[in-house]
Amino acid sequence: IAMHALLESALQEFCELAKERRKSKLAVEDLAKGGADGFKERRYLEKVHAVEVDGRLWDAISPLVFVRNRIAHSSGRVHGVRSAREFALLTQTPGLSVQGTVVADLRFVNGSLRVEKEFVESFEKAIYALLKALESKLSEWDGLRAVRSGRRQD
């Protein structure tokens, strides 16, 4: 949960920075809800400020979002038939497993999530890669502003 909170906080800062640099009147809080991945910050950066990074960087953090939601909203319990995507996430993500019953043919699970060090370390790297890519995109704005104002020094 702490990693997810850190990520959300950093994304909020990027949104605020984008809002200030672009002198936008629209803030991330003005968006109704998040996108399919649960991050309204992504929608804000992409739709309002055209800040897009490789979608695979966002995809890489989706298991973290799933795990955070399971821990926060159901104490880490997973029960029932899962979508193919969720079942694959639960059974194939390194460092993540279900302690309990897993019936592959039915995509049924009943148990508790087990999060290991490997999972945490991989998401540290995924979060870092995403934030570095966003930082790079926002840094490009500084270079563009300097060119437009005739201050660029190459």
Side-chain angles (χ1 to χ4, degrees):
I1 292 179
M3 287 177 68
H4 190 274
L6 174 69
L7 174 61
E8 278 188 323
S9 177
L11 290 173
Q12 284 284 331
E13 287 182 37
F14 277 115
C15 291
E16 186 60 31
L17 184 61
K19 180 179 179 272
E20 289 173 8
R21 287 185 179 181
R22 292 282 172 100
K23 298 182 184 353
S24 176
K25 292 183 182 189
L26 186 65
V28 68
E29 296 82 18
D30 297 330
L31 297 181
K33 59 182 178 177
D37 57 10
F39 285 106
K40 66 180 172 183
E41 296 86 0
R42 178 183 184 177
R43 281 189 38 229
Y44 178 77
L45 290 169
E46 290 178 352
K47 305 283 186 198
V48 176
H49 297 292
V51 174
E52 293 188 32
V53 297
D54 187 336
R56 292 174 293 188
L57 294 171
W58 290 102
D59 294 343
I61 63 170
S62 66
L64 175 64
V65 175
F66 175 81
V67 168
R68 179 260 177 217
N69 290 341
R70 284 286 155 205
I71 291 171
H73 300 296
S74 58
S75 301
R77 301 271 312 146
V78 183
H79 174 75
V81 176
R82 313 312 305 172
S83 68
R85 181 180 170 275
E86 273 188 17
F87 189 80
L89 186 147
L90 289 167
T91 58
Q92 298 172 13
T93 301
L96 182 63
S97 59
V98 175
Q99 287 185 306
T101 305
V102 176
V103 182
D105 293 348
L106 302 175
R107 294 192 320 255
F108 176 84
V109 294
N110 184 24
S112 297
L113 289 178
R114 179 178 172 95
V115 178
E116 298 181 21
K117 183 179 178 181
E118 183 179 13
F119 179 87
V120 174
E121 289 173 346
S122 71
F123 285 98
E124 282 180 315
K125 292 175 186 170
I127 289 169
Y128 180 78
L130 174 62
L131 295 179
K132 286 302 281 182
L134 288 170
E135 179 183 49
S136 175
K137 288 290 185 179
L138 292 178
S139 293
E140 288 175 11
W141 287 357
D142 293 332
L144 291 173
R145 265 203 324 252
V147 169
R148 288 184 184 137
S149 66
R151 296 181 291 128
R152 180 82 180 214
Q153 298 175 8
D154 290 335

